[in-house]
Each structure stands twice: as C-alpha cells, then as structure tokens.
Coordinates of all heavy atoms in Angstrom, one line a residue:
M1 N -29.3 15.8 6.1 CA -28.8 14.9 7.1 C -28.4 13.5 6.3 O -29.2 13.1 5.5 CB -29.8 14.5 8.1 CG -29.6 14.5 9.5 SD -28.1 14.7 10.5 CE -28.6 16.4 11.1
T2 N -27.3 13.1 6.5 CA -26.8 11.8 5.9 C -27.0 10.8 6.9 O -26.9 10.9 8.0 CB -25.3 11.9 5.4 OG1 -25.1 13.0 4.6 CG2 -24.8 10.7 4.9
R3 N -27.2 9.4 6.3 CA -27.3 8.3 7.2 C -26.1 7.5 7.1 O -25.5 7.3 6.1 CB -28.5 7.5 6.9 CG -29.9 8.3 7.3 CD -31.0 7.3 7.3 NE -32.2 7.9 7.8 CZ -32.5 8.0 9.1 NH1 -31.7 7.5 10.0 NH2 -33.6 8.6 9.5
T4 N -25.5 7.0 8.2 CA -24.4 6.1 8.2 C -24.8 4.8 8.8 O -25.6 4.8 9.7 CB -23.2 6.7 8.8 OG1 -22.1 5.9 8.6 CG2 -23.4 6.9 10.2
T5 N -24.3 3.7 8.3 CA -24.5 2.4 8.9 C -23.4 2.0 9.8 O -22.3 2.0 9.5 CB -24.7 1.3 7.8 OG1 -25.7 1.7 7.0 CG2 -25.1 0.0 8.4
L6 N -23.8 1.7 11.1 CA -22.8 1.2 12.0 C -23.3 -0.1 12.5 O -24.3 -0.2 13.3 CB -22.7 2.2 13.3 CG -22.3 3.6 12.9 CD1 -22.4 4.6 14.1 CD2 -20.8 3.6 12.5
G7 N -22.6 -1.2 12.1 CA -23.1 -2.5 12.4 C -24.5 -2.7 11.7 O -24.6 -2.5 10.6
S8 N -25.5 -3.1 12.5 CA -26.8 -3.2 11.9 C -27.8 -2.1 12.1 O -28.9 -2.2 11.7 CB -27.4 -4.5 12.5 OG -27.6 -4.4 14.0
R9 N -27.2 -1.1 12.7 CA -28.0 0.1 13.0 C -27.6 1.3 12.1 O -26.6 1.4 11.6 CB -27.8 0.6 14.4 CG -28.3 -0.4 15.4 CD -28.1 0.1 16.8 NE -26.6 -0.1 17.1 CZ -25.9 0.6 18.0 NH1 -26.5 1.5 18.7 NH2 -24.7 0.4 18.2
T10 N -28.6 2.1 11.7 CA -28.4 3.2 10.9 C -28.8 4.4 11.7 O -29.8 4.5 12.4 CB -29.3 3.2 9.6 OG1 -28.9 2.0 8.9 CG2 -29.0 4.4 8.7
K11 N -27.9 5.4 11.7 CA -28.2 6.6 12.4 C -27.9 7.9 11.6 O -27.0 7.9 10.8 CB -27.5 6.7 13.7 CG -26.0 7.0 13.8 CD -25.4 7.1 15.0 CE -24.1 7.7 15.0 NZ -23.4 7.9 16.3
P12 N -28.6 9.0 11.8 CA -28.4 10.2 11.1 C -27.1 10.8 11.5 O -26.7 10.8 12.7 CB -29.6 11.1 11.4 CG -30.3 10.5 12.6 CD -29.8 9.1 12.7
V13 N -26.3 11.3 10.5 CA -25.1 11.9 10.7 C -25.0 13.3 9.9 O -25.5 13.3 8.8 CB -23.9 11.1 10.3 CG1 -22.6 11.7 10.5 CG2 -23.9 9.8 11.0
A14 N -24.5 14.3 10.6 CA -24.4 15.6 9.9 C -23.4 15.4 8.7 O -22.6 14.6 8.7 CB -23.7 16.6 10.8
P15 N -23.6 16.1 7.5 CA -22.8 16.0 6.3 C -21.3 16.1 6.7 O -20.4 15.4 6.1 CB -23.3 17.1 5.4 CG -24.6 17.4 5.9 CD -24.6 17.1 7.3
E16 N -20.9 17.0 7.6 CA -19.5 17.3 8.0 C -18.9 16.0 8.7 O -17.8 15.6 8.3 CB -19.3 18.4 8.8 CG -19.7 19.7 8.3 CD -21.2 20.1 8.4 OE1 -21.9 19.4 9.2 OE2 -21.8 20.9 7.6
E17 N -19.8 15.5 9.5 CA -19.3 14.2 10.2 C -19.2 13.1 9.2 O -18.3 12.2 9.3 CB -20.3 13.8 11.3 CG -20.0 12.6 12.1 CD -18.6 12.7 12.9 OE1 -18.1 13.8 13.0 OE2 -18.2 11.6 13.4
A18 N -20.2 12.9 8.2 CA -20.2 11.9 7.3 C -18.8 12.0 6.4 O -18.1 11.0 6.1 CB -21.3 11.9 6.4
E19 N -18.5 13.2 6.1 CA -17.3 13.4 5.2 C -16.0 13.1 6.1 O -15.1 12.5 5.6 CB -17.2 14.9 4.8 CG -15.9 15.2 4.0 CD -15.8 14.4 2.7 OE1 -16.8 14.0 2.2 OE2 -14.7 14.3 2.2
R20 N -16.0 13.4 7.4 CA -14.9 13.0 8.3 C -14.8 11.6 8.3 O -13.7 11.0 8.3 CB -15.1 13.7 9.6 CG -13.9 13.5 10.5 CD -14.2 13.9 11.9 NE -15.1 13.0 12.6 CZ -14.8 11.7 13.0 NH1 -13.6 11.2 12.8 NH2 -15.7 11.0 13.6
L21 N -15.9 10.8 8.5 CA -15.9 9.4 8.6 C -15.4 8.8 7.3 O -14.6 7.8 7.4 CB -17.3 8.9 8.9 CG -17.8 9.2 10.3 CD1 -19.3 8.9 10.5 CD2 -16.9 8.6 11.3
R22 N -15.8 9.3 6.1 CA -15.3 8.8 4.9 C -13.9 9.0 4.8 O -13.1 8.1 4.3 CB -16.0 9.5 3.7 CG -17.4 8.9 3.4 CD -17.9 9.5 2.0 NE -18.2 10.9 2.1 CZ -19.3 11.4 2.6 NH1 -20.3 10.6 2.9 NH2 -19.6 12.7 2.5
Q23 N -13.3 10.2 5.1 CA -11.9 10.5 5.0 C -11.1 9.5 5.9 O -10.0 9.0 5.5 CB -11.6 11.9 5.3 CG -12.1 12.9 4.2 CD -11.8 14.3 4.6 OE1 -11.4 14.6 5.6 NE2 -12.2 15.2 3.7
E24 N -11.6 9.4 7.1 CA -10.9 8.4 8.0 C -10.9 7.0 7.5 O -9.8 6.3 7.6 CB -11.5 8.5 9.4 CG -10.9 7.6 10.3 CD -9.5 7.9 10.7 OE1 -9.1 9.0 10.6 OE2 -8.8 7.0 11.1
A25 N -12.0 6.5 6.9 CA -12.0 5.2 6.3 C -11.0 5.1 5.2 O -10.3 4.0 5.0 CB -13.4 4.9 5.7
V26 N -10.9 6.1 4.3 CA -9.9 6.0 3.2 C -8.6 6.1 3.8 O -7.7 5.3 3.2 CB -10.1 7.3 2.3 CG1 -9.0 7.4 1.3 CG2 -11.5 7.1 1.5
R27 N -8.2 6.9 4.8 CA -6.9 6.8 5.4 C -6.6 5.5 6.0 O -5.5 5.0 5.7 CB -6.8 7.9 6.5 CG -6.5 9.3 6.0 CD -6.1 10.3 7.1 NE -7.2 10.5 7.9 CZ -8.0 11.5 7.8 NH1 -7.9 12.2 6.7 NH2 -9.0 11.7 8.7
E28 N -7.5 4.8 6.6 CA -7.3 3.5 7.2 C -7.0 2.5 6.2 O -6.1 1.7 6.2 CB -8.5 3.1 8.2 CG -8.5 3.8 9.5 CD -9.7 3.4 10.3 OE1 -10.1 2.2 10.1 OE2 -10.2 4.1 11.1
L29 N -7.8 2.5 5.1 CA -7.7 1.6 4.0 C -6.3 1.8 3.3 O -5.6 0.8 3.0 CB -8.8 1.7 3.0 CG -8.8 0.7 1.8 CD1 -8.8 -0.6 2.3 CD2 -9.9 1.1 0.9
T30 N -5.9 3.1 3.1 CA -4.7 3.3 2.4 C -3.6 2.9 3.3 O -2.5 2.3 2.7 CB -4.6 4.9 2.2 OG1 -5.7 5.2 1.3 CG2 -3.3 5.2 1.5
A31 N -3.5 3.1 4.6 CA -2.5 2.6 5.5 C -2.3 1.1 5.5 O -1.3 0.5 5.4 CB -2.8 3.1 6.9
R32 N -3.4 0.4 5.5 CA -3.5 -1.1 5.4 C -2.9 -1.5 4.2 O -2.1 -2.5 4.1 CB -4.8 -1.7 5.6 CG -5.4 -1.6 7.1 CD -6.7 -2.5 7.1 NE -7.4 -1.7 8.2 CZ -8.7 -1.7 8.1 NH1 -9.4 -2.4 7.2 NH2 -9.4 -1.0 9.0
L33 N -3.3 -0.9 3.0 CA -2.8 -1.3 1.7 C -1.3 -1.1 1.6 O -0.5 -1.9 1.2 CB -3.5 -0.5 0.6 CG -3.0 -0.7 -0.8 CD1 -3.3 -2.1 -1.3 CD2 -3.7 0.3 -1.8
A34 N -0.8 0.1 2.1 CA 0.6 0.3 2.1 C 1.4 -0.7 3.0 O 2.5 -1.1 2.5 CB 0.9 1.8 2.6
H35 N 0.8 -1.0 4.1 CA 1.4 -2.0 5.0 C 1.6 -3.4 4.3 O 2.7 -4.0 4.2 CB 0.7 -2.2 6.2 CG 1.3 -3.2 7.1 ND1 2.4 -2.9 7.9 CD2 1.0 -4.4 7.5 CE1 2.7 -3.9 8.7 NE2 1.8 -4.9 8.4
Q36 N 0.5 -3.8 3.6 CA 0.5 -5.1 2.9 C 1.5 -5.2 1.7 O 2.1 -6.0 1.4 CB -0.9 -5.6 2.5 CG -1.7 -5.9 3.7 CD -1.2 -7.0 4.5 OE1 -0.7 -8.0 3.9 NE2 -1.3 -6.9 5.9
L37 N 1.5 -3.9 0.9 CA 2.4 -3.9 -0.2 C 3.9 -3.9 0.3 O 4.7 -4.6 -0.3 CB 2.1 -2.6 -0.9 CG 0.9 -2.5 -1.8 CD1 0.7 -1.1 -2.4 CD2 1.1 -3.6 -3.0
G38 N 4.1 -3.3 1.4 CA 5.5 -3.3 2.0 C 5.9 -4.8 2.4 O 7.1 -5.2 2.1
N39 N 4.9 -5.5 2.9 CA 5.3 -7.0 3.2 C 5.5 -7.7 2.0 O 6.5 -8.5 2.0 CB 4.0 -7.5 3.9 CG 3.9 -7.0 5.5 OD1 4.8 -6.3 6.0 ND2 2.7 -7.2 6.0
L40 N 4.7 -7.6 1.0 CA 5.0 -8.3 -0.2 C 6.2 -7.9 -1.0 O 7.0 -8.8 -1.5 CB 3.6 -8.1 -1.2 CG 2.4 -8.7 -0.7 CD1 1.3 -8.2 -1.6 CD2 2.5 -10.2 -0.8
L41 N 6.6 -6.6 -0.9 CA 7.8 -6.1 -1.5 C 9.0 -6.8 -0.8 O 10.0 -7.1 -1.4 CB 7.8 -4.6 -1.4 CG 7.1 -4.0 -2.6 CD1 7.0 -2.4 -2.3 CD2 7.9 -4.1 -3.9
Q42 N 8.9 -6.9 0.6 CA 10.0 -7.6 1.2 C 10.3 -9.0 0.8 O 11.4 -9.4 0.5 CB 9.8 -7.6 2.8 CG 10.0 -6.3 3.4 CD 9.8 -6.4 4.9 OE1 8.9 -7.2 5.4 NE2 10.5 -5.5 5.7
V43 N 9.3 -9.7 0.5 CA 9.3 -11.1 0.0 C 9.9 -11.1 -1.5 O 10.9 -11.7 -1.8 CB 8.0 -11.8 0.0 CG1 8.0 -13.2 -0.8 CG2 7.5 -12.0 1.4
V44 N 9.3 -10.2 -2.3 CA 9.9 -10.1 -3.7 C 11.4 -9.7 -3.7 O 12.1 -10.4 -4.3 CB 9.0 -9.0 -4.5 CG1 9.6 -8.8 -5.8 CG2 7.6 -9.6 -4.7
N45 N 11.7 -8.6 -3.0 CA 13.1 -8.2 -3.0 C 14.0 -9.3 -2.4 O 15.2 -9.5 -2.9 CB 13.2 -6.9 -2.2 CG 12.7 -5.7 -3.1 OD1 12.9 -5.7 -4.3 ND2 12.1 -4.8 -2.4
G46 N 13.6 -10.0 -1.3 CA 14.4 -11.0 -0.8 C 14.7 -12.2 -1.8 O 15.8 -12.7 -2.0
N47 N 13.6 -12.5 -2.5 CA 13.8 -13.6 -3.5 C 14.5 -13.2 -4.7 O 15.3 -14.0 -5.3 CB 12.4 -14.1 -3.9 CG 11.8 -15.1 -2.9 OD1 12.3 -16.2 -2.6 ND2 10.8 -14.6 -2.2
L48 N 14.4 -11.9 -5.1 CA 15.3 -11.4 -6.2 C 16.8 -11.4 -5.8 O 17.6 -11.8 -6.6 CB 14.9 -10.0 -6.6 CG 13.6 -9.9 -7.4 CD1 13.3 -8.3 -7.5 CD2 13.6 -10.6 -8.6
E49 N 17.0 -11.1 -4.6 CA 18.4 -11.1 -4.1 C 19.0 -12.6 -4.0 O 20.1 -12.8 -4.4 CB 18.5 -10.5 -2.7 CG 19.9 -10.4 -2.1 CD 20.8 -9.6 -3.0 OE1 20.4 -8.6 -3.6 OE2 22.1 -9.9 -3.0
L50 N 18.2 -13.5 -3.6 CA 18.6 -14.9 -3.6 C 18.9 -15.4 -5.0 O 19.9 -16.1 -5.2 CB 17.5 -15.7 -2.9 CG 17.4 -15.6 -1.4 CD1 16.1 -16.4 -0.9 CD2 18.6 -16.0 -0.6
I51 N 18.0 -15.1 -5.9 CA 18.2 -15.5 -7.3 C 19.6 -14.8 -7.9 O 20.3 -15.5 -8.5 CB 17.0 -15.1 -8.1 CG1 15.8 -15.9 -7.8 CG2 17.4 -15.3 -9.7 CD1 14.5 -15.4 -8.4
A52 N 19.8 -13.6 -7.5 CA 20.9 -12.9 -8.0 C 22.2 -13.6 -7.5 O 23.2 -13.6 -8.2 CB 20.9 -11.4 -7.6
Q53 N 22.2 -14.1 -6.2 CA 23.4 -14.7 -5.6 C 23.6 -16.1 -6.3 O 24.8 -16.5 -6.2 CB 23.2 -14.9 -4.2 CG 23.1 -13.5 -3.3 CD 22.7 -13.8 -2.0 OE1 22.5 -14.8 -1.4 NE2 22.6 -12.6 -1.2
R54 N 22.7 -16.6 -6.9 CA 22.8 -17.9 -7.4 C 22.9 -18.1 -8.9 O 23.0 -19.2 -9.5 CB 21.6 -18.8 -7.0 CG 21.6 -19.2 -5.5 CD 20.3 -19.7 -5.0 NE 20.4 -20.3 -3.6 CZ 20.3 -19.4 -2.5 NH1 20.3 -18.2 -2.7 NH2 20.4 -20.0 -1.4
T55 N 22.9 -16.9 -9.6 CA 23.1 -17.0 -11.1 C 24.3 -16.1 -11.5 O 24.5 -15.0 -10.9 CB 21.8 -16.6 -11.7 OG1 21.9 -16.9 -13.1 CG2 21.5 -15.2 -11.5
T56 N 24.8 -16.6 -12.6 CA 25.9 -15.7 -13.2 C 25.5 -15.4 -14.6 O 26.2 -14.7 -15.3 CB 27.3 -16.5 -13.2 OG1 27.1 -17.7 -13.9 CG2 27.8 -16.6 -11.8
D57 N 24.4 -16.0 -15.0 CA 23.9 -15.7 -16.5 C 23.5 -14.3 -16.7 O 22.7 -13.7 -15.9 CB 22.7 -16.7 -16.7 CG 22.1 -16.5 -18.1 OD1 22.8 -16.8 -19.1 OD2 21.0 -16.0 -18.1
E58 N 24.1 -13.7 -17.7 CA 24.0 -12.3 -18.0 C 22.5 -12.0 -18.3 O 21.9 -11.0 -17.9 CB 24.8 -11.9 -19.1 CG 26.3 -11.8 -18.7 CD 27.1 -11.2 -19.8 OE1 26.7 -10.4 -20.5 OE2 28.3 -11.5 -19.8
T59 N 21.8 -12.8 -19.1 CA 20.4 -12.6 -19.5 C 19.6 -12.6 -18.2 O 18.8 -11.7 -18.0 CB 19.9 -13.7 -20.4 OG1 20.8 -13.7 -21.6 CG2 18.5 -13.4 -20.8
T60 N 19.8 -13.5 -17.3 CA 19.0 -13.6 -16.1 C 19.3 -12.4 -15.1 O 18.5 -11.8 -14.6 CB 19.4 -14.9 -15.2 OG1 19.1 -16.0 -16.1 CG2 18.6 -15.0 -14.0
Q61 N 20.6 -12.0 -15.1 CA 21.0 -10.8 -14.4 C 20.3 -9.6 -15.0 O 19.8 -8.6 -14.2 CB 22.5 -10.5 -14.4 CG 23.3 -11.6 -13.6 CD 23.0 -11.4 -12.1 OE1 22.6 -10.4 -11.6 NE2 23.3 -12.5 -11.4
H62 N 20.1 -9.6 -16.2 CA 19.4 -8.3 -16.9 C 17.9 -8.3 -16.5 O 17.4 -7.4 -16.0 CB 19.5 -8.5 -18.4 CG 18.7 -7.5 -19.2 ND1 19.0 -6.2 -19.2 CD2 17.6 -7.6 -19.8 CE1 18.2 -5.5 -20.0 NE2 17.2 -6.3 -20.3
Y63 N 17.3 -9.5 -16.5 CA 15.9 -9.6 -16.1 C 15.8 -9.2 -14.6 O 14.8 -8.6 -14.2 CB 15.3 -11.1 -16.3 CG 15.2 -11.5 -17.8 CD1 15.5 -12.7 -18.2 CD2 14.8 -10.4 -18.7 CE1 15.4 -13.1 -19.6 CE2 14.7 -10.8 -20.0 CZ 14.9 -12.1 -20.4 OH 14.8 -12.4 -21.7
L64 N 16.7 -9.7 -13.8 CA 16.7 -9.3 -12.3 C 16.8 -7.9 -12.1 O 16.1 -7.3 -11.3 CB 17.8 -10.1 -11.6 CG 17.6 -11.6 -11.4 CD1 18.9 -12.2 -10.9 CD2 16.5 -11.8 -10.4
A65 N 17.7 -7.2 -12.9 CA 17.8 -5.8 -12.8 C 16.5 -5.0 -13.1 O 16.1 -4.1 -12.4 CB 18.9 -5.3 -13.7
N66 N 15.8 -5.5 -14.1 CA 14.4 -5.0 -14.5 C 13.5 -5.2 -13.4 O 12.7 -4.3 -13.1 CB 13.9 -5.6 -15.8 CG 14.8 -5.1 -17.0 OD1 15.5 -4.0 -17.0 ND2 14.7 -5.9 -18.1
A67 N 13.5 -6.4 -12.9 CA 12.5 -6.6 -11.7 C 12.8 -5.8 -10.6 O 11.9 -5.3 -9.9 CB 12.6 -8.2 -11.4
R68 N 14.1 -5.7 -10.2 CA 14.4 -4.8 -9.1 C 14.0 -3.3 -9.3 O 13.5 -2.7 -8.4 CB 16.0 -4.8 -8.9 CG 16.4 -6.0 -8.0 CD 17.8 -5.8 -7.6 NE 18.4 -7.1 -7.4 CZ 19.5 -7.6 -8.0 NH1 20.1 -6.8 -9.0 NH2 20.0 -8.8 -7.9
A69 N 14.2 -2.8 -10.5 CA 13.8 -1.5 -10.8 C 12.3 -1.3 -10.6 O 11.8 -0.2 -10.1 CB 14.2 -1.1 -12.4
A70 N 11.5 -2.3 -11.2 CA 10.1 -2.3 -10.9 C 9.7 -2.3 -9.4 O 8.8 -1.6 -8.9 CB 9.4 -3.4 -11.7
A71 N 10.4 -3.1 -8.7 CA 10.2 -3.3 -7.2 C 10.4 -1.9 -6.6 O 9.8 -1.5 -5.6 CB 11.0 -4.4 -6.7
D72 N 11.6 -1.3 -7.0 CA 12.0 0.1 -6.4 C 10.8 1.1 -6.7 O 10.5 1.9 -5.8 CB 13.3 0.5 -7.0 CG 14.5 -0.3 -6.4 OD1 14.3 -1.0 -5.4 OD2 15.5 -0.2 -7.1
Q73 N 10.3 1.0 -7.8 CA 9.2 1.9 -8.3 C 8.0 1.7 -7.3 O 7.3 2.6 -6.8 CB 8.8 1.9 -9.7 CG 9.8 2.4 -10.5 CD 9.4 2.3 -12.1 OE1 8.5 1.5 -12.4 NE2 10.1 3.0 -12.9
L74 N 7.7 0.4 -7.1 CA 6.6 0.1 -6.2 C 6.8 0.4 -4.8 O 6.0 0.9 -4.0 CB 6.2 -1.4 -6.4 CG 5.0 -1.9 -5.7 CD1 3.8 -1.1 -6.0 CD2 4.7 -3.3 -6.0
T75 N 8.1 0.3 -4.4 CA 8.5 0.8 -3.0 C 8.3 2.3 -2.9 O 7.7 2.8 -1.8 CB 10.0 0.5 -2.7 OG1 10.1 -0.9 -2.8 CG2 10.4 1.0 -1.4
D76 N 8.6 3.1 -3.9 CA 8.4 4.5 -3.8 C 6.9 4.8 -3.7 O 6.5 5.7 -2.9 CB 8.9 5.2 -5.0 CG 10.5 5.2 -5.0 OD1 11.1 4.9 -4.0 OD2 11.1 5.4 -6.1
L77 N 6.1 4.1 -4.5 CA 4.6 4.3 -4.5 C 4.0 3.9 -3.1 O 3.3 4.6 -2.5 CB 3.9 3.5 -5.6 CG 2.4 3.5 -5.6 CD1 2.0 4.9 -5.8 CD2 1.9 2.5 -6.6
T78 N 4.6 2.8 -2.5 CA 4.1 2.4 -1.2 C 4.4 3.4 -0.1 O 3.6 3.7 0.7 CB 4.7 1.0 -0.9 OG1 4.3 0.0 -1.9 CG2 4.2 0.5 0.5
R79 N 5.7 4.0 -0.2 CA 5.9 5.0 0.7 C 5.1 6.2 0.6 O 4.7 6.8 1.6 CB 7.5 5.4 0.6 CG 8.4 4.4 1.1 CD 9.8 4.9 1.0 NE 10.7 3.8 1.5 CZ 11.8 3.4 0.8 NH1 12.2 4.0 -0.3 NH2 12.6 2.5 1.3
A80 N 4.8 6.6 -0.6 CA 3.9 7.8 -0.9 C 2.5 7.4 -0.3 O 1.8 8.3 0.3 CB 3.8 8.1 -2.3
L81 N 2.0 6.2 -0.4 CA 0.7 5.9 0.2 C 0.7 5.9 1.6 O -0.3 6.3 2.3 CB 0.3 4.4 -0.3 CG -0.2 4.3 -1.7 CD1 -0.4 2.8 -2.0 CD2 -1.5 5.0 -1.9
A82 N 1.9 5.6 2.2 CA 2.0 5.4 3.7 C 2.1 6.8 4.3 O 1.9 6.9 5.5 CB 3.2 4.5 4.1
L83 N 2.4 7.8 3.6 CA 2.6 9.1 4.2 C 1.3 9.7 4.6 O 0.3 9.6 4.1 CB 3.2 10.2 3.2 CG 4.6 10.0 2.8 CD1 5.0 10.9 1.7 CD2 5.5 10.0 4.0
E84 N 1.2 10.2 5.9 CA 0.0 10.8 6.5 C -0.3 12.1 5.8 O 0.5 13.0 5.7 CB 0.2 11.0 8.0 CG -1.0 11.5 8.7 CD -2.1 10.4 8.8 OE1 -1.7 9.2 8.8 OE2 -3.3 10.8 8.9
P85 N -1.6 12.1 5.2 CA -1.9 13.4 4.5 C -2.1 14.5 5.5 O -2.5 14.3 6.6 CB -3.2 13.0 3.8 CG -3.8 11.8 4.6 CD -2.6 11.1 5.1
E86 N -1.7 15.7 5.1 CA -2.0 16.9 6.0 C -3.4 17.3 5.8 O -4.0 17.4 4.7 CB -1.0 18.0 5.6 CG 0.5 17.6 5.8 CD 1.4 18.7 5.4 OE1 1.0 19.9 5.2 OE2 2.6 18.4 5.2
D87 N -4.0 17.6 6.9 CA -5.4 18.2 7.0 C -5.3 19.7 6.8 O -4.6 20.3 7.2 CB -6.1 17.7 8.2 CG -6.2 16.2 8.2 OD1 -6.3 15.6 7.2 OD2 -6.6 15.6 9.3

C-alpha cells in the first residue's frame, strides 16, 4: 500500500491508484506548462514582428530571422506538450 498526502492528511492508496494520481498530476503540470509557454511565445513573436516592421538593417533582419526560427521550434515543442496523451 502506498500513502498519499492530501492536504495535511495522509491516507493509504492502492499502487494502481497512486500511479493514476501521479500520471494525472504530470498531465496537469504539462498542460499548465504548455499554456504558459504559449502565452510567452505570443509576447515574443509579437515583439519580433514589431521590431521587424521598424528596422531595415540587414544584420538586424538576420538576427530576427534566427529568433523567429527558434520561436517556431519552441512553438512546435509547446504544441507537442499540449497534446493529450493516449491512455
């Protein structure tokens, strides 16, 4: 029997139930992380777009293209995190 802590109380939980609770906690944490990453990416991409509109310097445009590529990779990773795993 595994014990799990709920608030200030500890109660015995069957191993299968403990595993289910762990998996659910990981899913919730992953979903929250993906949501927050998505929010941050919106800010980053929006600011990159504003900078791109205000500069004609080729070197700066090159750096912006690299930053956009990195943001796109992070967007793909965030989408993968947000996908509901199949049971």
Side-chain angles (χ1 to χ4, degrees):
M1 226 4 103
T2 301
R3 292 194 169 276
T4 187
T5 302
L6 300 172
S8 60
R9 295 178 284 157
T10 301
K11 71 177 198 174
V13 176
E16 299 83 16
E17 179 67 6
E19 180 61 23
R20 187 191 68 72
L21 291 170
R22 276 192 291 276
Q23 289 177 359
E24 180 62 27
V26 168
R27 276 193 292 273
E28 287 179 27
L29 180 61
T30 302
R32 283 189 219 148
L33 177 63
H35 180 79
Q36 290 301 318
L37 284 173
N39 290 343
L40 292 170
L41 277 166
Q42 285 183 328
V43 173
V44 168
N45 285 323
N47 281 289
L48 289 173
E49 183 60 33
L50 289 172
I51 294 168
Q53 292 172 4
R54 287 169 171 76
T55 185
T56 57
D57 179 63
E58 287 184 32
T59 301
T60 303
Q61 291 290 340
H62 174 75
Y63 292 144
L64 284 168
N66 289 339
R68 278 196 208 113
D72 288 345
Q73 288 178 345
L74 188 53
T75 297
D76 292 342
L77 175 62
T78 301
R79 284 186 183 132
L81 283 172
L83 292 178
E84 184 68 27
E86 295 180 17
D87 291 344

